[in-house]
Amino acid sequence: MINWFPGHMNKTLKQMQSDSKLCDCFIYVVDARCPLSSINPEFVRVVKGKPIIFVLNKTDLVEKTDMERFKKYFIEQGHECVNLNATQPGSSNIIIKTINKIFAERLEANRQKGANFILRAMVIGVPNSGKSTIVNNLCKKARATTGNKAGVTRSKQWIKVDGNIEFMDTPGVLLPNFDDETKAYNLAFVGSVKDEVLNITEVTLKLIERLNVIDTNILKSKYGVSYNNNTPHIEILEQIGKKRGCVIRGGEIDVERAGKMLLYDFRAGKLGKICLE
């Protein structure tokens, strides 16, 4: 069972609670491949009933039907929801438009008074959901530290965008307890949990199991492997390792190396557009 909640995340949660008093709304970034697993119940203490804009990020990695299904879900929950691929320049502008729409009356009232009104939005989410990439997209340059792995952003940053909007980029925070094994593995699959604390082979075998439930042809078509419903997952991983040249002395398959390659291919979208939920 996956269970990883480093001390700095608890400290970050407390700081976010304190900083939330300065915020008008929240930009809640979720991974489009597992939106529900990307929801952290602890954030309820942070948002405290203020407007939330859910951002389905990395939509280039899922089918449009899946993206629209979850967008509809969040809207039916009473929230604003936008979808984007934050690596595309200008794609995050829809967030600014949505914020201005939410606060249109307040902005207009302040304009009529000649007052300078600043809207503050905190960007929240689990690690590696793309929060900093979105902020950089909004700024049109790299202002926030980013990386394709969990736990890159460590300190809060206020960044002014579009004249009257300021964004606070925050470190990613995981659930303190993974009571739901499916959610835990989903977050491990997409890279929200650091690989260094995982048993890569175990996680990869779970990924093979999940992918075969979604579509038994995903791995077969990608790697040219052959198996049936009764084939042990470790044998499938060994086949993939052999196809990818993960062979060590004596012809043995380096299953951990094969697992890392499989995880990389999944995260990079090389196995196709796959939604885990």
Side-chain angles (χ1 to χ4, degrees), residues 86-249:
T87 61
Q88 290 186 340
S91 61
S92 294
N93 290 337
I94 190 171
I95 296 174
I96 294 175
K97 292 179 181 178
T98 305
I99 292 174
N100 285 324
K101 182 183 77 172
I102 292 173
F103 295 98
E105 291 184 8
R106 195 190 302 183
L107 286 168
E108 181 59 29
N110 278 271
R111 287 193 191 99
Q112 292 180 4
K113 295 176 183 178
N116 184 24
F117 177 55
I118 299 295
L119 287 167
R120 292 186 172 89
M122 181 184 290
V123 185
I124 62 176
V126 297
N128 200 37
S129 56
K131 301 181 303 300
S132 295
T133 304
I134 286 173
V135 173
N136 290 338
N137 191 309
L138 288 163
C139 297
K140 300 179 176 59
K141 56 185 175 181
R143 292 281 298 277
T145 306
T146 64
N148 190 26
K149 61 180 181 179
V152 174
T153 304
R154 282 299 186 94
S155 60
K156 65 178 181 180
Q157 307 176 58
W158 277 107
I159 301 169
K160 193 169 185 178
V161 178
D162 195 46
N164 69 313
I165 300 176
E166 289 184 352
F167 289 91
M168 178 188 284
D169 189 26
T170 62
V173 179
L174 284 171
L175 291 67
N177 295 296
F178 285 119
D179 295 326
D180 188 321
E181 183 179 276
T182 299
K183 290 185 177 180
Y185 279 109
N186 284 347
L187 293 174
F189 297 153
V190 301
S192 291
V193 183
K194 283 188 174 183
D195 286 346
E196 291 83 354
V197 303
L198 298 173
N199 181 321
I200 294 297
T201 302
E202 176 189 330
V203 170
T204 309
L205 294 177
K206 286 288 186 179
L207 178 59
I208 290 173
E209 178 183 357
R210 184 72 62 79
L211 293 175
N212 283 333
V213 169
I214 295 171
D215 185 347
T216 56
N217 292 314
I218 293 174
L219 298 175
K220 293 176 182 178
S221 60
K222 172 62 179 178
Y223 300 108
V225 294
S226 178
Y227 55 88
N228 57 44
N229 293 337
N230 297 318
T231 304
H233 299 131
I234 188 66
E235 290 186 15
I236 298 174
L237 182 57
E238 288 173 343
Q239 284 191 54
I240 294 172
K242 187 175 182 179
K243 290 283 186 178
R244 295 294 296 269
C246 302
V247 182
I248 54 181
R249 188 176 300 176

